[in-house]
């Protein structure tokens, strides 16, 4: 009798469990399909809806500098029940009105690329759905019920793929069915999903695996180059942080169209980073080295060490990441770049900072709107933060006779982020720095980070006994383009552009400009009075911008 009652209780518990579905579970069934010769992704969802009959699905209309993302949604429908669908673009919501007290809701939507070819750097953060491949970030692929909470149980199935097609994402390689348990929603929404004609290479690193997913034939470098540099970078960075715990990591490389010059960008996200490179002769291996080292550093700075207010701490999450990218490359001689690389990169970033049109902008102006709308504001926290990190590194070395460096601070910040879930904010950063640099550091920080006043590098370099030159050539294009980038205006008399012959009103036919680079000629093709002309000039001027000298004494002070 005892055993029979026990068995009955087990059965009842199972029945109760089955009758109460998991409100955090979402099943996605995704099918690669074609309609009227147009490539699409059909997404079918199954989940527990809100019991009051109103379920909100989150799908941002604006994200990562992109607007009108809802344009990619071509169909939406409730299945098996009657109801209505409302779209609230301002909130980034899809509102489903359905019967109350449902245990399960079926919903379907279709995504389609909302722009014409070519794929350029400005389009890579939109859903890309092509005949032979797709490339999407999870926030513009998956709708997520607001009621599901902050920890999700997910099942993702892929259908409609060819026998040779690849599936690669932030959570697995070549898995057409994935079960993701207790996954934080934020990690899910900051992920990359690609598929189709990608080539996937597995790179073993100290009992863990990194996957490199690329598309097509590359002009500037081979897949072998990419694998070698990626492996060097990951080993060096994981050794720096004493962290080889990440069993899975994926890197995607998508070729983009750039008619003149080169362009490259990357985004560090959950268990992965996604990159885009110009696939032409202007792209150089050194640019790939820099991007890999910057973006992979976000595995720690930005992923584990999180900003409390995203843009407000970009001086740290982007600027300190930039500094440690330079340092990592040089310290580990990645791609045979050594200490000279570090000196050259720091001098370059000092020039870019002190020549920026928004050089004096306070930190409060580095906000979402400015960062995504303006190249100058987007670059400012990289430059300002990297130069600030460089100074702090030197100052800590000076005060401790070389026994400590900024590395000690970074390891403490990482430990606090892991052990205490500490977010990076200004008060916390000051609390870490004051025991090393004293109470007066708060005034220094407020002046040069909060208020944006320039560091007096000449005076600081003198205090630090760093050999430097007091002035240098700095980048000056010498004119501006109109908004459409088709006409030249505001040519500066006496500039190298003016002396080369460029004038206001010239119509732009072609341009190849390495912004911030004082060693490469700018190439401009124009039309004037019915005839075409080509100009080549070095876009520089002299400026009172200090530059570090490449001496043995300096390299010793820098820890090389």
């Amino acid at each position: 009798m005892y055993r029979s009652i026990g068995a009955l209780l087990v059965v009842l518990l199972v029945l109760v469990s089955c009758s109460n579905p998991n409100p955090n579970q979402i099943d996605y069934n995704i099918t690669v399909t074609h309609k009227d010769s147009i490539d699409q992704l059909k997404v079918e969802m199954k989940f527990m809806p809100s019991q009051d009959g109103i379920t909100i699905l989150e799908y941002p209309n604006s994200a990562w500098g992109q607007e009108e993302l809802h344009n990619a949604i071509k169909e939406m429908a409730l299945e098996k029940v009657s109801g209505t669908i409302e779209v609230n673009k301002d909130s980034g919501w899809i509102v489903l009105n359905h019967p109350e007290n449902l245990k399960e809701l079926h919903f379907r939507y279709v995504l389609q690329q909302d722009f014409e070819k070519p794929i350029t750097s400005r389009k890579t953060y939109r859903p890309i759905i092509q005949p032979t491949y797709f490339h999407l970030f999870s926030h513009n692929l998956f709708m997520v019920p607001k009621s599901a909470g902050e920890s999700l149980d997910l099942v993702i199935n892929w259908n409609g793929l060819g026998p040779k097609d690849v599936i690669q994402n932030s959570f697995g390689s070549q898995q057409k069915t994935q079960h993701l348990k207790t996954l934080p929603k934020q990690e899910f929404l900051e992920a990359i999903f690609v598929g189709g004609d990608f080539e996937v290479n597995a790179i073993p690193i100290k009992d863990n695996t990194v996957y490199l997913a690329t598309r097509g034939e590359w002009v500037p470098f081979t897949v072998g180059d990419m694998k070698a540099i990626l492996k060097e970078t990951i080993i060096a960075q994981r050794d720096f942080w004493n962290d080889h715990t990440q069993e899975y990591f994926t890197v995607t490389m998508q070729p983009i169209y750039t008619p003149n010059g080169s362009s490259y960008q990357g985004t560090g996200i959950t268990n992965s980073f996604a990159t885009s490179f110009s696939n032409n002769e202007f792209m150089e291996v050194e640019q790939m080295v820099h991007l890999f080292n910057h973006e992979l550093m976000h595995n720690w700075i930005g992923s584990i060490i999180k900003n409390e207010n995203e843009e407000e701490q970009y001086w740290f999450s982007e600027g300190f990441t930039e500094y440690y990218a330079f340092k990592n490359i040089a310290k580990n001689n990645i791609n045979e770049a050594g200490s000279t690389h570090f000196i050259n990169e720091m001098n370059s970033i000092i020039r870019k900072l002190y020549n920026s049109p928004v050089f004096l902008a306070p930190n409060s102006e580095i906000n979402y709107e400015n960062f995504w709308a303006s190249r100058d504001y987007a670059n400012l926290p990289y430059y300002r933060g990297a130069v600030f990190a460089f100074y702090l590194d030197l100052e800590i070395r000076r005060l401790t006779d070389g026994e400590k460096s900024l590395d000690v601070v970074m390891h403490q910040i990482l430990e606090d982020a892991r052990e205490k879930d500490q977010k990076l904010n200004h008060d916390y950063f000051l609390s870490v720095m004051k025991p090393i640099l004293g109470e007066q550091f708060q005034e220094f920080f407020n002046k040069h980070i909060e208020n944006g006043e320039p560091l007096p590098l000449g005076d600081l370099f003198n205090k630090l006994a760093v050999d430097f030159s007091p002035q240098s050539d700095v980048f000056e294009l010498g004119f501006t383009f109109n908004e459409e980038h088709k006409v030249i205006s505001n040519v500066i008399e006496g500039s190298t552009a003016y002396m080369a012959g460029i004038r206001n009103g010239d119509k732009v036919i072609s341009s190849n400009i390495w912004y911030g680079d004082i060693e490469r000629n700018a190439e401009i093709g124009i039309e004037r009075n019915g005839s075409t002309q080509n100009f080549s000039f070095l876009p520089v001027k002299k400026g009172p911008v200090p530059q570090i000298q490449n001496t043995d004494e300096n390299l010793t002070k820098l820890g090389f």
Side-chain angles (χ1 to χ4, degrees):
M1 176 64 71
Y2 177 78
R3 290 179 181 176
S4 298
I5 291 173
L8 179 61
L9 287 173
V10 170
V11 171
L12 288 173
L13 286 171
V14 170
L15 290 173
V16 168
S17 176
C18 291
S19 64
N20 290 282
N22 180 0
N24 298 330
Q25 180 163 327
I26 313 167
D27 291 2
Y28 295 98
N29 198 54
I30 307 170
T31 304
V32 180
T33 186
H34 309 274
K35 182 177 180 180
D36 300 327
S37 300
I38 297 174
D39 305 285
Q40 297 178 330
L41 294 180
K42 181 174 71 172
V43 185
E44 298 168 290
M45 296 177 61
K46 184 172 64 174
F47 59 94
M48 182 178 178
S50 297
Q51 296 304 287
D52 61 3
I54 303 173
T55 296
I56 294 173
L57 300 179
E58 297 176 310
Y59 187 88
N61 190 44
S62 301
W64 296 12
Q66 300 297 307
E67 302 294 331
E68 303 297 334
L69 288 170
H70 282 200
N71 289 346
I73 306 171
K74 297 306 174 185
E75 294 178 24
M76 291 187 290
L78 286 163
E79 298 186 329
K80 300 185 180 182
V81 297
S82 61
T84 60
I85 302 169
E86 301 173 11
V87 177
N88 188 325
K89 290 187 176 183
D90 291 338
S91 299
W93 289 351
I94 309 296
V95 182
L96 308 181
N97 298 284
H98 52 80
E100 298 178 3
N101 301 317
L102 292 177
K103 298 302 182 185
E104 189 172 83
L105 186 63
H106 294 247
F107 177 70
R108 170 177 55 84
Y109 59 97
V110 174
L111 297 176
Q112 179 179 308
Q113 185 174 308
D114 68 339
F115 62 92
E116 299 294 329
K117 281 188 175 182
I119 310 297
T120 64
S121 59
R122 295 184 179 184
K123 303 298 185 183
T124 55
Y125 293 111
R126 304 191 76 80
I128 297 172
I129 306 169
Q130 290 286 307
T132 61
Y133 79 101
F134 57 85
H135 177 286
L136 299 96
F137 294 95
S138 50
H139 66 269
N140 54 36
L141 171 57
F142 296 100
M143 296 186 187
V144 178
K146 191 175 177 66
S147 57
E150 296 302 314
S151 181
L152 306 175
D153 291 338
L154 306 168
V155 178
I156 304 173
N157 288 298
W158 291 90
N159 307 288
L161 295 164
K164 295 183 179 180
D165 284 342
V166 161
I167 283 291
Q168 190 76 19
N169 58 57
S170 297
F171 309 104
S173 179
Q174 305 289 50
Q175 298 175 15
K176 294 187 177 179
T177 298
Q178 289 178 288
H179 296 261
L180 308 175
K181 295 291 186 181
T182 61
L183 179 66
K185 182 170 73 172
Q186 194 61 34
E187 290 186 15
F188 178 55
L189 293 176
E190 294 180 353
I192 181 73
F193 285 78
V194 303
D197 63 355
F198 281 80
E199 174 188 339
V200 177
N201 287 271
I203 306 171
I205 297 178
K206 293 191 178 180
D207 299 325
N208 300 320
T209 304
V210 173
Y211 293 90
L212 174 65
T214 68
R215 288 196 64 252
E217 296 294 326
W218 289 82
V219 173
F221 27 67
T222 68
V223 172
D225 295 332
M226 302 175 197
K227 289 172 62 178
I229 292 169
L230 184 58
K231 186 170 185 175
E232 279 187 276
T233 300
I234 291 177
I235 291 173
Q237 292 193 354
R238 290 180 178 180
D239 284 349
F240 170 77
W241 293 106
N242 300 318
D243 183 4
H244 284 269
T245 60
Q246 198 163 20
E247 296 179 1
Y248 172 85
F249 194 82
T250 196
V251 177
T252 64
M253 291 186 65
Q254 177 184 215
I256 55 175
Y257 173 73
T258 309
N260 296 291
S262 63
S263 176
Y264 62 101
Q265 60 192 31
T267 303
I269 42 184
T270 302
N271 301 329
S272 54
F273 84 98
T275 67
S276 301
F277 288 90
S278 301
N279 194 10
N280 60 27
E281 69 275 15
F282 300 111
M283 194 73 213
E284 297 180 348
V285 173
E286 289 74 18
Q287 293 168 301
M288 178 176 66
V289 171
H290 172 258
L291 185 65
F292 276 6
N293 278 270
H294 180 98
E295 294 302 333
L296 284 166
M297 191 62 69
H298 280 313
N299 260 332
W300 296 271
I301 307 174
S303 180
I304 300 173
I305 305 169
K306 292 182 171 63
N307 291 351
E308 185 169 271
N309 299 300
E310 191 66 18
E311 292 81 13
E312 186 178 353
Q313 284 92 43
Y314 272 168
W315 59 269
F316 179 86
S317 62
E318 296 298 352
F320 278 47
T321 295
E322 188 78 333
Y323 177 70
Y324 273 94
F326 300 151
K327 194 172 178 179
N328 187 61
I329 293 168
K331 283 273 189 180
N332 296 280
N333 201 32
I334 295 175
N335 196 42
E336 300 182 355
S339 56
T340 298
H341 170 83
F342 180 83
I343 296 289
N344 290 341
E345 291 297 330
M346 285 311 307
N347 280 335
S348 174
I349 214 161
I350 289 169
R351 293 193 302 268
K352 291 173 182 177
L353 173 61
Y354 282 71
N355 201 44
S356 168
V358 294
F359 177 37
L360 301 176
N363 193 59
S364 59
E365 290 186 14
I366 305 173
N367 51 41
Y368 179 89
E369 291 76 13
N370 286 339
F371 183 85
W372 289 103
S374 164
R375 180 199 297 265
D376 295 322
Y377 276 107
N379 288 332
L380 182 58
Y382 290 75
Y383 303 159
R384 181 179 287 168
V387 174
F388 195 66
F390 176 57
Y391 163 71
L392 293 180
D393 206 1
L394 283 169
E395 179 67 352
I396 293 170
R397 288 180 181 279
R398 183 184 72 87
L399 291 174
T400 62
D401 293 325
E403 292 184 5
K404 294 182 179 180
S405 69
L406 186 61
D407 298 359
V408 173
V409 173
M410 300 304 290
H411 282 92
Q412 180 182 338
I413 292 173
L414 178 67
E415 181 180 349
D416 289 347
R418 277 189 166 141
E419 301 298 326
K420 305 175 184 177
D421 197 26
Q422 174 67 54
K423 299 291 192 298
L424 195 288
N425 59 43
H426 293 183
D427 288 341
Y428 167 71
F429 185 76
L430 289 169
S431 73
V432 174
M433 296 303 302
K434 283 181 182 179
I436 304 172
L437 298 182
E439 289 295 323
Q440 68 275 13
F441 178 71
Q442 179 162 352
E443 181 181 353
F444 186 86
F445 175 87
N446 291 342
K447 184 176 183 179
H448 298 297
I449 292 296
E450 292 277 20
N451 300 335
E453 293 186 31
L455 287 169
L457 285 183
D459 294 340
L460 294 176
F461 286 164
N462 279 324
K463 181 182 78 169
L464 295 163
V466 170
D467 298 325
F468 71 99
S469 302
Q471 68 172 5
S472 67
D473 287 336
V474 295
F475 183 87
E476 180 186 69
L477 185 56
F479 63 86
T480 58
F481 293 102
N482 72 343
E483 189 172 343
E484 292 78 24
H485 215 76
K486 293 181 179 179
V487 178
I488 286 173
S489 60
N490 302 318
V491 180
I492 300 172
E493 289 193 24
S495 67
T496 54
Y498 182 87
M499 291 187 287
I502 293 176
R503 295 294 181 265
N504 289 328
D506 287 344
K507 295 181 180 178
V508 180
I509 299 173
S510 64
S511 63
N512 182 23
I513 301 166
W514 301 79
Y515 284 94
D517 195 322
I518 62 170
E519 297 180 352
R520 302 178 197 251
N521 278 5
E523 311 282 346
I524 309 292
I526 65 99
E527 179 184 330
R528 183 190 301 163
N529 299 326
S531 62
T532 60
Q533 299 181 56
N534 294 303
F535 297 98
S536 178
F537 61 95
L538 197 61
V540 298
K541 68 176 182 180
K542 286 291 184 184
V545 178
Q547 296 284 271
I548 314 150
Q549 293 181 352
N550 190 5
T551 63
D552 291 340
E553 291 81 2
N554 277 351
L555 293 175
T556 300
K557 289 184 176 69
L558 293 168
F560 288 95

